[in-house]
Amino acid sequence: MLRFVLYLLTGCSTAVQILSLVVFFVWGRPVSPLEVVALLGSATLIVMAFYSLFRPRRAVRVALFTLVGMSTYYGFAVYAAVRNIVSLGSQY
């Protein structure tokens, strides 16, 4: 049950965050392929939350690959944040 709650909370929180960025394509903002991969990964993680109730071992394997895919987006964001902290400034 803990696995279900963790997968569901992680998937929903990342889906809301990425979806709020992807929605701006309506006003002409280009959508990054990394954002689409992260959104697909969070949707898959939500599905795996429900799948983990029946087949937990297989859900763990799929969730691991999903999190690796989602880390491609968040990895660059963490890198940019650390780079801004090290340079003692902001590029915004």
Side-chain angles (χ1 to χ4, degrees):
M1 191 67 173
L2 178 65
R3 192 176 293 142
F4 169 75
V5 171
L6 288 175
Y7 290 168
L8 190 65
L9 286 177
T10 305
C12 288
S13 64
T14 56
V16 167
Q17 182 184 10
I18 299 298
L19 194 59
S20 67
L21 293 173
V22 172
V23 148
F24 287 113
F25 81 92
V26 173
W27 290 285
R29 178 188 171 270
V31 177
S32 170
L34 291 177
E35 291 174 346
V36 175
V37 168
L39 187 62
L40 181 65
S42 62
T44 305
L45 196 58
I46 292 170
V47 170
M48 285 302 112
F50 292 101
Y51 193 70
S52 72
L53 295 173
F54 305 107
R55 296 195 182 236
R57 287 183 184 253
R58 187 172 294 171
V60 167
R61 291 183 190 131
V62 174
L64 179 67
F65 289 121
T66 299
L67 291 175
V68 168
M70 287 171 53
S71 68
T72 58
Y73 174 74
Y74 288 110
F76 289 117
V78 169
Y79 171 73
V82 169
R83 188 179 60 198
N84 283 337
I85 290 171
V86 168
S87 68
L88 299 175
S90 177
Q91 295 180 1
Y92 301 109

